[in-house]
Amino acid sequence: MAVAGASVWNTSYVSCSLELVGFRRNTNRIYQASSCLPNAAQRLLLCTQMSFNKTGIRRLKSMRLRDGFGLKCEAVYGEIPLQEKSENISKATLIWRAIKLPMYSVALIPLTVGSAVAYWQTGHCCAKRYLTLLVSSVLVIAWLNLSNDVHDFDKGADRNKKESVVNLVGSRTGTHIIACLLLALGLIGLTRVSIEAGSLRSVLLLVYAIFCGYIYQSPPFRLGYIGLGEPLCFAAFGPFATTAFYLLQSRHQVLAISVTAISSSLLVGFTTALILFCSHFHQVEDDKAVGNYSPLVKLGTEAGAKVVKMAVTSLYSLLFALGLGQALPFSCVDISMIFMAKYYCVRLHTAFGVALAAGLVAARLFVRKQLPHAIII
């Protein structure tokens, strides 16, 4: 009986293979023929080796194949399975991903917006200080990214992540030492400008900002793992960093912490926190596995998507309200420049910050009757 069954299966296998070759342009018959094969992996292999027309490709994309053990495959012409894709990624691509260059906008935008507020109020902006602060901020963000990779590796979250810096370098200790050196260099630059500006408040604000980054990811705190990453991110890059950079653009007088400075810092913090929130969409299951209870783990991706939509709407509403209330120059309310960026959080953060800074500069250059609304703290 077993031999007879095997003979029938072999006959079917040959018949199906011949039919597959003979009717390669008929995707429906190819799918029926491939279903005779013993498992999903072999059926997928034969299907994807054929050349199909556009109609066939669309139909195969919608077909799901299952074997007896529930293995699910999709026959998508011209694509490689995810595991195979990750194995074929070049070292240069992995290095580029590890650098995370777009994320350094979180160093650029608080500095640019803070400096723009100072320019709007005083008419002065020191380019040398700006560049020194920019380099120093980039070094601090590099520390944040590298140390985050180290701590995620320790926790087990990045052990299979090929673009992790620890995996690329091959040394957890070496990566951690480099991170600490970058932080030290960044602190030297920030301290130097703070001493030059004679602003103790800015030093304290920057220390608070860096401390928020530390307790977000580092033991024994790891507050990001209990869902407090977004509030910490908001405070660090918004009220703390943006306000500090605003104060560091003072020349001879001590700048007052104005309503405009506070309003701008809140908007910057809002968009920065939104980046962190959205960064968890693709790794909800991985976060659960290592005990990282991010807001998306608690809410789920469907509810999280609704939160993002409400957040973007609230951002523009808040910007408009601050413009109407003259907490910000109305020239900052330029939605057309950044409308399309709302679909991509990093681009939103960057474009929103640039537009906000441009509005402040334009207000200084062209709107001379409007006076800053300042409060001294």
Side-chain angles (χ1 to χ4, degrees):
M1 188 69 180
V3 175
S7 299
V8 171
W9 185 88
N10 287 334
T11 302
S12 300
Y13 180 89
V14 174
S15 176
C16 290
S17 299
L18 291 174
E19 185 179 9
L20 182 63
V21 175
F23 297 96
R24 59 189 297 181
R25 294 188 179 182
N26 187 328
T27 57
N28 187 42
R29 298 188 69 176
I30 290 174
Y31 174 68
Q32 292 174 352
S34 65
S35 65
C36 299
L37 300 183
N39 58 62
Q42 290 182 1
R43 296 197 297 268
L44 176 61
L45 179 60
L46 282 180
C47 284
T48 53
Q49 284 176 345
M50 299 297 116
S51 297
F52 301 112
N53 56 29
K54 292 183 179 179
T55 302
I57 293 171
R58 286 195 297 268
R59 296 190 66 177
L60 282 174
K61 285 182 178 180
S62 65
M63 294 176 180
R64 306 257 179 172
L65 306 177
R66 287 185 179 271
D67 62 6
F69 297 93
L71 175 64
K72 182 171 71 176
C73 300
E74 287 187 6
V76 182
Y77 176 70
E79 292 191 4
I80 303 173
L82 291 178
Q83 183 178 1
E84 199 172 320
K85 279 182 178 180
S86 63
E87 291 175 355
N88 293 333
I89 296 176
S90 67
K91 190 69 172 288
T93 301
L94 292 174
I95 293 174
W96 175 254
R97 290 181 182 178
I99 293 174
K100 302 175 185 176
L101 187 60
M103 297 302 296
Y104 286 88
S105 64
V106 300
L108 174 67
I109 296 305
L111 172 60
T112 302
V113 172
S115 300
V117 175
Y119 176 78
W120 176 66
Q121 292 190 185
T122 66
H124 300 290
C125 181
C126 181
K128 181 181 178 181
R129 284 189 194 176
Y130 180 91
L131 293 176
T132 303
L133 290 171
L134 179 59
V135 173
S136 302
S137 300
V138 167
L139 291 173
V140 173
I141 298 301
W143 158 75
L144 195 64
N145 286 336
L146 289 179
S147 58
N148 186 62
D149 276 5
V150 170
H151 298 310
D152 281 347
F153 181 84
D154 292 342
K155 192 74 175 178
D158 284 355
R159 290 190 183 275
N160 297 319
K161 185 178 178 182
K162 292 190 174 183
E163 63 267 28
S164 166
V165 177
V166 176
N167 291 331
L168 287 172
V169 174
S171 172
R172 182 261 184 209
T173 303
T175 304
H176 188 58
I177 292 174
I178 293 173
C180 292
L181 289 175
L182 292 174
L183 175 61
L185 291 173
L187 285 173
I188 290 172
L190 295 174
T191 303
R192 178 181 175 183
V193 175
S194 299
I195 293 174
E196 182 182 334
S199 176
L200 177 61
R201 290 178 299 173
S202 62
V203 174
L204 294 175
L205 288 171
L206 289 173
V207 169
Y208 293 154
I210 294 172
F211 184 69
C212 284
Y214 180 82
I215 62 177
Y216 159 70
Q217 62 180 356
S218 303
F221 305 100
R222 296 186 186 272
L223 297 185
Y225 277 78
I226 60 174
L228 295 179
E230 283 72 16
L232 289 170
C233 185
F234 170 83
F237 292 96
F240 291 156
T242 303
T243 306
F245 292 139
Y246 155 76
L247 293 172
L248 289 176
Q249 283 295 341
S250 63
R251 296 187 71 182
H252 303 295
Q253 77 278 21
V254 177
L255 289 177
I257 299 180
S258 65
V259 172
T260 302
I262 294 174
S263 301
S264 300
S265 69
L266 293 178
L267 292 172
V268 172
F270 194 108
T271 56
T272 312
L274 191 58
I275 293 176
L276 180 60
F277 182 86
C278 291
S279 69
H280 294 283
F281 268 102
H282 71 289
Q283 57 187 44
V284 172
E285 295 303 321
D286 291 339
D287 284 343
K288 286 181 181 179
V290 297
N292 183 4
Y293 295 100
S294 67
L296 275 174
V297 171
K298 299 175 181 178
L299 294 172
T301 53
E302 185 175 350
K306 294 179 181 178
V307 170
V308 172
K309 292 179 182 179
M310 290 189 296
V312 173
T313 302
S314 300
L315 176 65
Y316 287 104
S317 300
L318 179 60
L319 174 65
F320 190 73
L322 291 172
L324 285 179
Q326 294 189 341
L328 290 173
F330 204 72
S331 55
C332 294
V333 187
D334 189 354
I335 297 178
S336 61
M337 287 182 62
I338 50 181
F339 176 76
M340 293 305 296
K342 67 182 181 181
Y343 300 106
Y344 308 96
C345 279
V346 174
R347 295 181 185 179
L348 170 63
H349 171 70
T350 305
F352 191 94
V354 169
L356 182 61
L360 289 161
V361 172
R364 178 71 194 188
L365 293 175
F366 305 112
V367 187
R368 304 195 179 192
K369 293 182 181 180
Q370 188 174 20
L371 297 176
H373 301 271
I375 56 174
I376 298 179
I377 297 180

